[in-house]
Each structure stands twice: as C-alpha cells, then as structure tokens.
Amino acid sequence: MTDWADQLTPILGAKTADALAKSLNLHTVGELLRHYPRRYAERGELTEIAGLEIGEHATVLAEVQRVTKRSMRSRRGSILEVRITDGRRALNCTFFNQAWRERELLPGKKGLFAGKITAYRGQLQLANPEYQLIEPATQDAGDGDSVVAEFTAALIPVYPAAQGLPSWSIARCVRQVLDTWDGVEDPLPAGLRADLRVSDLTQALRDVHLPADRAAVHFARKRLKWDEALSVQLALAQRRQAADARPAPACPPRPDGVLDSFDARIPFELTEGQRSIGEIVRADVSREHPMNRLVQGEVGSGKTVVALRAMLQVVDAGRQTAMLAPTEVLAAQHARSLAELLGDLATAGEFGAPDHATRVTLLTGSMGAAQRRKAMLEVVSGEAGIVVGTHALIQDRVEFADLGLVVVDEQHRFGVEQRDALRSRAGSRVSPHVLVMTATPIPRTVAMTVYGDLEVSALRELPKGRSPIKSTVVPVAEKPAWLDRVWQRLREEVAAGHQAYVVCPRIGDQASSGEDVDTPPPAEGEGSERRPPLAVADVAPELAEGPLRGLRVGMLHGRLPADEKDTVMRAFAAGEIDVLVATTVVEVGVNVPNATAMVIMDADRFGVSQLHQLRGRVGRGSAAGLCLLVTDAVPGTTTMQRLDAVASTTDGFELARLDLELRREGDILGAAQSGRRSGLRLLSLLDDEDVIAQARDRAEAIVVGDPALTEHPGLAGMVADLVDEDRAEYLQKT
Ligand code: ADP
Ligand code: MG
C-alpha cells in the first residue's frame, strides 16, 4: 500500500533513502518513480564505447577482455587493470588495491560498469568504477541470488546515476517501490486519453521502469511526454490568458508627435519587415490590454529601430518607456545610440529643443551617487521618456511616473517568470506593454515553450548593403603556425583602416575564479587536464607587447568600473583603439561598423549561439567581416564539429537547432539556460515538435473554456506540480 506522496525511508530503509535524497534529491515515491531511465541496455547487446564523452558519468554494458595486475613501485599496493570492450573499442578500468577482484572479473564475463569517463594518455578510462556482473541468461537466474535476478529482463534500465548510487541500485529501489505500489489516479480525463491514444499513468510508470519490450517503452514514454507537454502548455495558456485580461495603458498614435518627427528624419529606408512589424506593434500598443510580443531577427536586422518607434508612440501618449539590456555596457551603448538616432528629439529640457522632444536617461547600479540621483529624479518626475538600464531597473523598484512600455533587448536569458514579474511591475493593476527582442533565432518548439507566453514576429531580411561574414576555424593543436597568421591578418585589417575584436572566455587577473567570466561558457566535458581558459587580462598585454606591438590595444570586461567601460567603448567607437580585447560583454548590441575582424580565442569554450552572436559584431559596415575561431580542440571530436558547423553557415536557425541539441533544454518557466532540466524529463524540444504543437492547441482549447481549470482538477494538479518544481529550481539558483 504505497502512495505517491509517501516518504521513501519506511520503504527502503534509512541508509538507501538518505543516499537517494542526498545524491539525486529524491525523497518520495512519486519523485523516485519520476526518475526515469535514461535508456535501456539490451541484454546481449553491448554499449557503444565510441559514443562516450569525457567527463560523462556513464553506465556501460561491456565484456571483460583482459586483466593485468601490477604492483605500484612507489608505494606498497597494486593496480588491477581491466580492459573492457564492446567488441570494437576498449575502455580501461583501473582498481587500486583491489587485487581480489581478479577472481570475479574474468575475461569473457559481461557486466555493467559505471563511473566517470576520463582520458589518460589518449585512452578512455574509468577509474575505480562500480560494476555489476551479469550472468548469461541460460544460467539459472534464481538461486536466491537477488543480484543476478535483477538482470533477467530483456531490457535493463539505465538510470541517471550518481557516485555511490549506480544505476542498478536505483533499479532495485524502484522495483521495491513498485512491488507495493497501488498506482495513481490518472490526472488526464479518460476521454482525453482515448482521444490522444495514450495509456494510463499507472501503466506508463510501471512500463517505463520495467518494460516487457521496446513497444512498452515507446507507449510509456509517449504518455509521459504528453503529460509534460500538456502541463507546460496549460501553464503557458493560463499565463497568456491572465496577461491578456489585465488592463494596460492604451497608447494610440498621435499625429505630429515625436514619432512622426522621427519617421521624417530616419536616415535610411525601413526594411519591409521593420515596416510590417511596426504596424503590428503600433496596433498592439494602442490596445487596452498589454502587448506581449517577441521580435526575433538576426543580428543586424535593425530591431532597435522597431523598438524605438514603439517607444516613441508611447512617449507621444504621455507615458514612459524602459529598455532593459543584459549588461551595463550594453545599456550604456543603447542609451548612446538611441540618443544619436533621435538627435535633438532627445534634448527635452535643453535650450532650443523641439516641442515634443523627450529625454533618454541611463540608470545603472554602478553609477556614482550624484549621477544616479539625477537620473532617478528624471525617472520619477516623468521627464525621462526613455529610461535605459539593466534588469535591475525592474527588480530595484525604481518608481516610474507612468510606465507604458518595457523593451527587453537580446534576452535569451530571461524566463517566463521574470517576464511575469515585469508585467506586474507598473505598480498598479495596470501592466505595461512588453516587447522582447532577440537575435538568437528560435526553433518553433522553443518559441512555443520558453516564449510560449509571447506572440512572435520575425524580422527576416537584413538592411541593404550588409556584408557577409567569413568564418574560419584555426586549429592550433594541429597547425600552430596558423596563429601567427591570425595576428598578421589583424595587422592587415588595421593597416586598411579597420578595427578588430579579440574575444577571450575569461577576465583573469583575480584570485577568485567564481566571477571570472562575464558569461559562463557551457560546462561540458570538463576534463581534469584542461588548462584554464584564456583571460583578457593576460592576452591583452601579451598581444600589445608581442604580435600586435605598435597597435593601440584596449581592454574591456564586466569587472571594469562603469565609467571606464564607457570610456573604452567610446574610444573604440571613435576609432582611437585598433584592437579591443574583451570578454563576451561585446556579445550583443555593440555596434561599431568600422570593426571588420574578430578573433575568438578558445572558441570551443563558447556556446554555438554565443559564437554566432559574437561574430555578428563584425561585418556591420560596407567592408566584409572576418571571424577567426581559434581553438586547440582535437579534430574529429564533437567540440570541433560544433566549431566547424559555426564556420560553415551563417544560418541562425540551423545553428539554433544545433545549439539546442548540444545544450539540451534548460528549464522552461524559470531562469532559462541552466542546461539542467526541470519539468521536462522526457520531452525534447528538438524531437517532439508534434507533441508540443498538439499540446499547445489542446491546452488553448481547454483554458478558453475553463481558465482556472476548476472542471479539470487533474490537469490543475499537473500544472501546480510543474510550476512548483520550476519555482523551486529557480529559487535554489538565486
Ligand atoms: P540588431 O537587430 O542587431 O539590434 P540594430 O538595430 O543594432 O540591429 O541595427 C544595426 C544597424 O543597422 C544600426 O546601425 C542601424 O542604425 C542600422 N539599420 C537599421 N535599420 C536599417 C535599415 N532599414 N537600413 C539601413 N540601416 C539600418
Ligand atoms: Mg540590437
């Protein structure tokens, strides 16, 4: 008689339950049953060793090939080396001072071996793995030997495991729980289940852990994926509906206002996309309910103008607007370029300003006290029509006189919950309009989930006269001499009157490594022997005194004081710096058309879409852009394939897909991009487009008829669980 919410301790005993709690954060029956196998090893079929990644905690089904015992020369003790194989490639397992294992690890024996994959002298290795031998099926599996009995099924579940808690221990716990489990009440109404042709939840959960065959796995996973897709889409449909129902400040366009004056003086012709999205946004902002729109457009597609025109319409209606950037450098840059675009239309309060002029006010955390007070005053008084800052602007409870529109720029790191906070921010019952802009093209499934609370518009074309960017991988491990050629190329660019960026993953020059990166690169394959990533603080002086001697080399990163960052950016924009050595603070929005080349050091330490964003900083003018991806990654590895892909295409959609595949889905409702999954265990944003799209339609239909899900208590429960789980994760992270 075991229930979903029961604690594991009485069932499994304190020792095992504690291990599950500590290593995998599993406390209840429900949590354990939701810990699904990652895959299934097929009895008699060995795991492919070539597919293993360094750093991965893996469980492999392999055969013992050879065992050698050595004694350690330096100390008393022995090393037992056990070579295991999948029939093609081998993996070395080493055991220290466990010579007795020689007696059971006999050549020809098969077993599961679990541990962290490392590399040692070019060989894949498992140090001190845990293992469990599997007796051949013909041998009598009974004999009261439970260890053997565990592996009598045709499919052996392989669980995400932890040190000291190998897959087979988890399997044993699950089996023990299932033995006394009565099942759960199914949250999906029977009618819906029949419609979707999915099995009931109790059956699905039993089958996912103890499948009779592959078909059982398939149907179980199908059902469980539906639950995930449906709860996410229900949560999002509810949010959309709630957001839509809130009142918002209607800002109908005003003839002869600042927007009209601006339109009359834009120095270029709007692209077709800028014009049509402009129309949509104009209508959105005029409504009495909040706009919640995402504009996605490639780097350089001109999103800023779209946002600015929306902001001016709101200013014309007598309200304020805020533009949020991910970093202070970017915020400062935005404030500057908005003021430049506006010219004297941004000089309200100054002598000779046009009638309906407004003010662009920068407000950031690191401003001096006096400056900040002045900025605050402009915001509170309503004098500032356009306030530019980082997300702190919203979190810090800055009081706006009358906030009508919030523009979030380049925000692929901003989850649904943060957007919720933002909508409820205007102080009163009224929600501001929200316009989110991103340059990372978003696969459809991601748009439906991560951005599912927003309507999406895409800016497809680039303004005329843009130059192509040519990207090349520089494999220094293989061809060290190419690095000299890199610096020579930079000198040529500078000699031709252009400027260049050199981007490094780390800031450097600081004992603490915790805050040493402006944007942490994805942690993957953290091999033990990797050197630390290259740092701006080291590379800049080395270049200035070495290969780039005589050039004006500047340095920019997130730890510089705000005014210094600003000075450096200004100097670079003014052409007073030839080569800017920087962290990813230049990733988004920085716009210096004369910069034509970018060298990315340790390019393998960056994510795919990050690289794509970064190189978008060059080729913004009429001269062709050049991006050199310097890496010591080994040819043929996935890491190198990733870089080759970035070099081979500038199709952002293709890259976004690739990135998603490599990064796996982050959490959906909370702060995104953690790379950990929550809510979504089986559902893949990459492969399950059908399910997601269908779930979205279903959810929409259900929520329209029953907004609070009062008539669907099962579904309401699913949504509550999802939101709780996501929020718990989110809170843990902050
Ligand atoms: P992103 O979409 O990457 O944010 P920006 O808005 O920064 O792009 O625009 C990049 C550059 O292109 C800016 O210098 C901007 O003034 C310019 N630009 C924007 N729209 C057009 C257009 N229709 N024609 C020519 N240049 C444009
Ligand atoms: Mg931009």
Side-chain angles (χ1 to χ4, degrees), residues 299-300 462 465-470 499 501 591-598 614-627:
V299 170
L462 294 182
R466 277 296 146 72
S467 311
I469 301 167
K470 188 172 177 328
Q499 291 161 278
Y501 301 95
N591 189 21
V592 177
N594 191 43
T596 50
M598 175 176 283
L614 277 167
R615 71 178 162 185
R617 300 306 111 204
V618 294
R620 306 208 118 207
S622 50
L626 175 70
C627 175

Side-chain angles (χ1 to χ4, degrees), residues 54-55 116-126 527-529:
I54 294 172
K116 192 165 165 179
I117 307 283
T118 55
Y120 181 70
R121 296 195 182 146
Q123 275 277 355
L124 288 184
Q125 143 163 326
L126 276 173
S528 38
E529 309 123 28

